[in-house]
Amino acid sequence: MSRLVKADIVPEDDCMVTIDDDKYYTDVAEMLESLGDDVIVDGEPNLPAWCYATRRKTFDLNLFNCIESYMENNHHEEAYSELKQVDKLETLLNQWCALQTVSTFFIDYQRIIVIDPGRYARELVEATAWLEANPNG
């Protein structure tokens, strides 16, 4: 309830969407199509009034973390200062990472996309009232 009340409404843009953390959809239309047969109440579609947006995480490889992990795994913990030209390797790695197109989407509980404005407004009123009546959750 508090997530709904606190969430920022965002447009469906360059993100995937989800109603939980189990399945992600390319967009709202794909999600509604996929859910259509599974969300029937009393013979009528009961699709969500809103869904969560996602955040894109691009490919970035942190050189310091890689070196630190390698050195710890190979018992070189105190040898970092002996490494040569780490700055050149970091520049090269950052250039290489910038070329990568790998990205992953993660649910963002702070951002929602409204699908049905009327039902969303009613749910928001209900959630707000519930939170006011139950301040400790």
Side-chain angles (χ1 to χ4, degrees):
M1 300 267 183
S2 65
R3 284 183 182 163
L4 178 60
V5 171
K6 294 176 183 178
D8 293 326
I9 298 172
V10 298
E12 182 179 352
D13 54 4
D14 186 26
C15 70
M16 295 186 82
V17 300
T18 185
I19 53 174
D20 55 36
D21 207 11
D22 283 341
K23 183 143 171 91
Y24 291 79
Y25 304 91
T26 305
D27 55 27
V28 171
E30 180 189 39
M31 181 187 71
L32 294 177
E33 182 178 328
S34 175
L35 295 175
D37 294 336
D38 295 331
V39 191
I40 304 293
V41 175
D42 296 329
E44 295 293 322
N46 186 27
L47 298 170
W50 55 273
C51 63
Y52 290 110
T54 58
R55 293 238 184 241
R56 180 189 299 260
K57 173 80 169 116
T58 57
F59 185 90
D60 59 347
L61 192 58
N62 182 292
L63 179 62
F64 176 75
N65 290 343
C66 293
I67 291 173
E68 182 179 51
S69 177
Y70 173 82
M71 295 181 90
E72 284 179 11
N73 290 339
N74 291 283
H75 307 289
H76 299 305
E77 294 91 349
E78 304 300 321
Y80 193 85
S81 63
E82 296 179 39
L83 297 177
K84 310 290 188 248
Q85 299 186 350
V86 173
D87 57 332
K88 289 183 181 180
L89 181 57
E90 184 175 34
T91 299
L92 178 64
L93 181 62
N94 289 342
Q95 291 170 347
W96 181 79
C97 285
L99 298 173
Q100 306 314 308
T101 58
V102 173
S103 62
T104 303
F105 292 89
F106 295 93
I107 192 169
D108 184 347
Y109 292 108
Q110 297 174 339
R111 299 181 325 136
I112 63 171
I113 298 165
V114 174
I115 301 167
D116 182 332
R119 285 187 28 233
Y120 163 75
R122 288 189 299 276
E123 288 182 21
L124 183 59
V125 167
E126 290 172 10
T128 302
W130 189 90
L131 288 170
E132 288 172 0
N134 302 282
N136 296 324

